[in-house]
Every structure is written in C-alpha cells, then in structure tokens.
C-alpha cells in the first residue's frame, strides 16, 4: 500500500485555492459600483447577469470572512467581504425581516422564496464577518435572525406556504443540516453551550435519514425515521448525504461519541457507494432508492459540489479512522474532479457535466453556484492536511 | 421532389394513436378504486407514484373527451373521461375556487402553485367534457373559472405571489398562449363572438415575442415587445414557440389575415432553425438567445413534447403553403421522434432523452407528462392528413 501523500495534496489544494479559485472571484465578482457581488459569471469571468442572488451574496461573505479568520489576515479578503456584507445588510431583508432570494444589481427586491435557506446563509455570513471585524452588533443580528429561522422552519404558513391536509409530516435532511450548521457556527469559539441541545437534536434528526437495512441515506423521511412511500420519500441526493455525514462526523469528533461517529461514516460511505456512477465515473445528482426514474430531469448529471463534499468527507474519514479505503475513495474523487471540473486557465471550476463528464454549461457561477463550495472544501482540506503532514 | 406521402403518415399516426398510445393510458392509468388517473407510470405501465397531478388529470379528461368528440364515439373513451372529470370536480378546487397542483390518490390536497396553469387545464377539461355529455352546467363552471383565470393572471398578488419593486413588467409567452387556447376552446363551435377580442389580443401579445432582427422568438419580453436584459429575457424555449406558432397559424387561417399567417410561419421556422441540434439531432429544451449558458440544467435534453408540437406545426405549415421545406422539416422530426421516443412494445413515448438521443428516464408518465402531447399531436395530424389524402 502506497503511503498517503498528504504533502502532495496539500500543495495541490493550496495552489488551486490561492492561484485558481480565490483570484477568479476577486477579479470578476466584486461590484465596486453598486456593492455586492456578481455571481453569474461565464467561463472567463464575463458577467452574463447582474442579478444579486442572496444565497450567493451571503455565501461569498461567509467564505471570504472565513478565509480571513482562519487562513491568513489578508486585507483584500476582508475588504471584499465588507463589500458584500454592507450590501446584504442594506438590501437583503424585507420589512418583516425575511431575506430575499434575489435582488437587482442595485439591490431592489426581485423574488422571495417560501423557504428559509436565504435566511440560513445570511446568518452564516453575518456571524463569520462579525468575527473578522469583531462587531458584536452584527453577531447579534445573526443570533436574532436564527430565532426567526427556527420559528419559520417549523411553521411554513409563516412563509406563505399553505399546509394542506393531504401532506404528510416529513423530516427534511436539508433543514436539519441547515439548523446544525448554523448552531455550530454561532456556537463556535466559546459560546457553544446554549447551542448544544439544538446541535444534538439536529444530529439525531440527520441520523434518522439513514436506512441501515438498505444501506442508504434518504433526503426525506417520516419524523420517526420510517419510510415515506412517494418519489420524495425515495429520493437520494448522495452529495448532500455525504455533506451531512462529514458534518456529523465533526460533531462526533468533538463529543467523542463512537456510535455517532460510526453512523456518520456509514452515511458517507453508503451514499458514495450508491451515488458513484460505475459506468462513467462521478457522483449522480439524484437517485431513486427503489430504482424508479428520479423525478428530476437532471438526476444523471455530475455537479461540482457533491464532489467537493466527497473529497473533504473522505479526507476527514481517513484521518479519523486511518482506513485505507477512505484514502482510496479520496484519491478517486480528487482524480475525477480535478481532471473534469477544474479549469486552471481561467480559474474556478465548471459546475455542470453530463453523465459522461463533459461540461454542459461553460459558466463558473450562476444562481446556485458562487464563491463557496470549491473554496470551502479546499480551505477545510488544507486545514486537515496540515495536521497530517 | 418526392410527392408528400400523406397516406403513409396517416396510417403511421393512426396506428400509433390507436394501438400504442391510447391503449397504454386506458390500460394503466385508470384508478377504478379512487377515481381519477395514475400518471406516474413506468415504461411498462407500472405505477411508481399515486399522486394525482391536476395538470395531468385535467389534460387527460380533455384528451379523452376530444377523442370522443372528434374521432369516434367510443364509449370506453367517454367512460374514462368521466372517471377523471368526476374526480377533478369533486376534489380539484379549494374553497376560494383555485385549482390545486397535486392531490393524494384519494383526492386530498397536497400542493397549490402560485401560477394559473392548473386552472387553465381544468377549464379545458370541463369544456371539452361538457360537449361530450352535453352538460351546460359543466360548461358554465368552465366559463366562470375563466373569468377568475383572467383576473388572477393579471394580478399575481391574488395567487399569493408578492409583487416586488425590482421586478420589471413582462409578457410571458406561456400566459398569452394559455389565454388564447382557452378562449379558442370556449368559443369553439358557435359561441365564438364574445371571445373574439380576447383571441385577437392574445394573438397580438404572442406575436410581440418575435424578434425579427434576430429571427428568434423569446419566452419573455417587455410588454411593448422590447428586450429584457436578463437570462429570462434571453430565454428561448423552441418547442413552446413552435406550439404558439401553430396556434396562431390556426387563428390566421380562420380570420384569413395574411400578415398574421406569415408571422406565425416565421415563429415556427425560426424557432426550429435555432432549436434543432445540428450535431446530434432533436430540438433543444432551452437556449439563451445570446449564446450564454442557459440557467436550466436540462437545457440540452431532448423532450418528447417539442417534437410533438413541431410535427404538427410543420404539417400545418405545409398544408397552408405547399412549400417543400416544411414537408422536409416534418419528415425530419417524424424520423427523429418515431425512432427515439416511440416504444411500440410497451406503448406511449419516452419523455426525456440526453443530448445524444438516449433515454435518461424510462418513465412514460410523471408529474408533467401524461395522456396529452402525444395523442394530441397524433389526433390533430390525423385530422389534417385526412383532408390531404
């Protein structure tokens, strides 16, 4: 067995992050005139739409602040984070406090979703930025909005989504993950205690999505973890389950709970085994647990972010266990992703490949792809590889 | 030039409709126990989801009633139409009169959209069925709901969709098409007069979506027909523009307006020229008019329905003009569609192919595919071919 070459990957990831990814966003996304970021960027960085999508405004603020807080006190990063944070604080919320989904270039509201994910990323942004600038008032806004987030996510009527009598109660992996992520973020670095119960509850809810008899993780289950008999109830989103897996693994590492650690590792491994396309390589976007055709037209496509999540998840699993197969999986996904998604000539990664692995879209950023998944997995992996070298 | 073989196509289309398509739905979709139709059907007709999607319940009622009213007084068709019509009349609307998007198998409400398309298909269903059973009360329900439809489609706030200040007013091809389609349906067979002004207004609005300088048809334009500078404003949906084209062509045929006829033919031809994939064949689902990456992940896929629309549109254009190129386009799309979508062994058509023309989904029906586009184009084409033979 070849030794795991942590140093080789560390160098690869540092170069990718600092030479090919962050420069792309700093060069092309900053809107110096109106504030905030352009995120709809073509392969070479040309702006093809000036809409300001709040998920991505917030994620970029979080990412740049995180880089500043953890990798290097680089003033260019902080200043770019400020450009976005001031924009979202000024234009991002409506009079009831809800966060818009999209704004015009100038910051005028365009669309609001009946979901709480825009709020999730907004809270993350404010919290991480508040640490970079040591501003307690911004932190306070984040904490207060999290209270609303929990209220709203428990009661969709407050978001304008009618509850109809045929609907079955369900647990959504996305919602449980979001709650865990925010609670972990807000509690990081000292004030974790008040968030402990919510973190533990979210971890329990996430683990309900494991179906051990079938060795799968489902996106939606009944609140008691039993199966929902519908396409939503059979839906697997392997990238998302892998992401949830490494999140729970971090919590298990902190708490030292061996059973939770084992279950987190299963989430990662099962989802990868089911999700990997043995024919053409890459991780499918969606699958139906019973093998029926997934409802999503794009189920067979290979998206950048599940690969980002899988790389960090397997690195984390390998470091935790030392088991060779996790290192092998890590190498397998790194090879696939760096040879197909990465675009060193222009920077950043392609987002969307067909089943065979060819780009279907030349864009580097769009309404759902921005300065987030690629730099996040690189930053996290660099931190871990540094400990392993 | 080979003579156009109307007789050959008439035979092909009749066999497809009567032996491969309608039998599939009659055999697999009727829910004798709870009423209504199963539309989520696998390749061989197995039900993989019992959700009753209202678009498809209504479309199937319309289709079966239309077959009964225009092709043959077949009692099996009428009886199957009744099964659906009684179900949607009993369960399809909420207390405010809006039509749900989806129901459980038993008819309990699951979801309601902030759009009026469920209403559109419901009106169509009731009107066509009312003719089959000569029931004026059902017709009256359709007429009354159309009044609401017009009110709601003019004011999205009534649908629960907030109007935000950054939004630009826009004309949607889908909405103008729906209004034209319903007005045409309700006015068919005698009572056309009250619908004339709306038909003419809808035709004018549809034709605003033509951009002659670029020889394209756009899905969304400003209310005065000028360009909207955004991905939505650059969006082309060639199948949809072709469908709108043959609709307008029928209106021009009735009114005898030569200028409108010319513009309708341009809509069809331009959209096909831009939408045909010269590399792998088939009509793309979405395109960006300026060549930027379309926002839709599935833009490159080949869906069944644009091909259905194109076949009938070119047949209609050829009959109207006698111009050979329309007959050639017709043959080109028939060849592509019958060799890839049609599945004579099990019946009905595949719905979704990858860019290369291979099925990505084995299903014959889903939340957006039911007993509608394939039998509709076959029925319409048969009617036209009969006149040509």
């Amino acid at each position: 067995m070849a030794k795991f070459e942590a140093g080789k990957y560390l160098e690869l990831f540092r170069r990718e992050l600092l030479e090919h990814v962050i420069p792309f966003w700093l060069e092309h996304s900053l809107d110096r005139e109106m504030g905030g970021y352009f995120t709809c960027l073509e392969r070479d960085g040309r702006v093809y739409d000036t809409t300001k999508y709040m998920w991505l405004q917030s994620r970029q603020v979080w990412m740049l602040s995180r880089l500043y807080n953890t990798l290097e006190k680089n003033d260019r990063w902080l200043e770019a984070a400020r450009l976005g944070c001031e924009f979202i604080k000024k234009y991002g919320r409506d009079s009831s406090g809800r966060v818009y989904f999209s704004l015009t270039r100038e910051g005028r509201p365009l669309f609001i979703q009946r979901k709480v994910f825009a709020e999730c990323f907004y809270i993350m942004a404010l919290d991480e930025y508040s640490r970079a600038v040591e501003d307690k008032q911004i932190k306070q806004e984040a904490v207060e909005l999290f209270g609303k987030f929990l209220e709203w996510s428990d009661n969709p009527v407050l978001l304008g989504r009618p509850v109809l009598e045929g609907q079955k109660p369900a647990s959504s992996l996305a919602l449980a993950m979001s709650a865990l992520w925010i609670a972990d973020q807000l509690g990081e670095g000292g004030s974790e205690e008040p968030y402990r119960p919510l973190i533990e509850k979210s971890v329990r809810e996430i683990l309900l999505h494991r179906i051990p008899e079938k060795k799968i993780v489902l996106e939606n289950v009944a609140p008691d973890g039993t199966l929902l008999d519908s396409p939503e109830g059979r839906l697997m989103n392997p990238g998302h389950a892998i992401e949830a897996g490494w999140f729970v693994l971090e919590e298990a590492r902190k708490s030292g709970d061996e059973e939770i650690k084992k279950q987190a590792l299963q989430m990662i491994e099962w989802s990868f085994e089911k999700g990997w396309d043995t024919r053409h390589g890459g991780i499918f976007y969606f699958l139906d647990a019973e093998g029926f055709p997934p409802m999503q037209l794009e189920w067979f496509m290979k998206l950048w972010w599940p690969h980002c999540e899988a790389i960090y998840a397997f690195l984390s699993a390998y470091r935790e266990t030392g088991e060779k197969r996790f290192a092998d999986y890590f190498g397998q996904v790194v090879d696939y992703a760096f040879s197909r998604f990465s675009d060193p000539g222009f920077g950043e990664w392609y987002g969307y490949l067909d089943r065979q692995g060819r780009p279907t879209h030349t864009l580097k950023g769009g309404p759902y792809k921005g300065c987030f998944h690629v730099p996040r997995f690189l930053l996290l992996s660099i931190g871990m590889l540094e400990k392993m070298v």
Side-chain angles (χ1 to χ4, degrees), chain A residues 91-110:
Chain A
Y91 302 114
R93 301 176 71 181
D94 75 6
S95 56
S96 73
R98 289 219 50 213
V99 178
Y100 292 113
F101 179 73
S102 54
L103 309 171
T104 63
R105 182 179 173 192
E106 301 77 20
R108 289 188 301 143
L110 276 173

Side-chain angles (χ1 to χ4, degrees), chain A residues 35 42 68 76 80 90 93 135 167 210 219 227 235 242-243 261 286 291 311 325 338 349 358:
Chain A
E42 251 286 32
Y68 180 85
R76 280 196 70 199
K90 191 160 176 189
R93 301 176 71 181
D135 184 323
Q167 292 167 354
R210 292 164 60 254
E219 193 66 17
L227 301 179
L235 182 67
I242 289 169
E243 182 182 11
K261 187 174 110 180
F286 294 108
I311 292 171
R325 72 182 188 289
F338 275 76
W349 284 20
R358 296 167 294 220

Side-chain angles (χ1 to χ4, degrees), chain A residues 38 62 100 113 118 145 160 162 227 229 283 294 336 338 342 345 349 361:
Chain A
F38 301 118
W62 179 86
Y100 292 113
Q113 283 188 315
L145 182 56
L227 301 179
D229 180 24
I283 298 166
Y336 181 90
F338 275 76
S342 178
W349 284 20
H361 295 64

Side-chain angles (χ1 to χ4, degrees), chain A residues 263-279:
Chain A
Q263 296 190 8
L265 291 167
Q266 287 172 337
M267 283 186 75
I268 297 169
E269 190 166 12
W270 293 346
S271 300
F272 182 72
E273 282 172 350
K274 291 282 187 283
W276 184 260
D277 180 357
T278 52
R279 191 147 168 201

Side-chain angles (χ1 to χ4, degrees), chain A residues 77-179:
Chain A
W77 298 349
L78 183 61
E79 188 266 327
R82 180 176 300 120
L83 186 74
C85 197
E86 285 175 356
F87 185 84
I88 63 172
K89 277 178 60 65
K90 191 160 176 189
Y91 302 114
R93 301 176 71 181
D94 75 6
S95 56
S96 73
R98 289 219 50 213
V99 178
Y100 292 113
F101 179 73
S102 54
L103 309 171
T104 63
R105 182 179 173 192
E106 301 77 20
R108 289 188 301 143
L110 276 173
F111 190 69
I112 191 157
Q113 283 188 315
R114 298 182 291 181
K115 297 172 183 170
V116 289
F117 299 111
E119 281 79 4
C120 167
F121 302 122
Y122 187 92
I123 297 165
M124 299 299 296
L126 258 52
D127 187 73
E128 192 67 33
Y129 181 75
S130 76
R131 287 185 220 170
V133 294
E134 296 176 32
D135 184 323
K136 282 187 183 158
Q137 216 176 323
I138 296 179
K139 167 96 186 182
Q140 193 50 33
E141 187 186 339
V143 170
E144 281 168 17
L145 182 56
F146 187 43
K148 295 257 194 186
F149 170 95
L150 293 173
E151 204 181 308
W152 291 334
S153 53
D154 263 357
N155 189 351
V157 173
L158 299 172
L159 304 170
R161 223 165 66 223
V163 174
L164 301 174
E165 61 157 298
Q167 292 167 354
K168 284 187 194 155
S171 161
S172 143
L173 185 59
L175 269 181
M177 264 269 316
S178 299

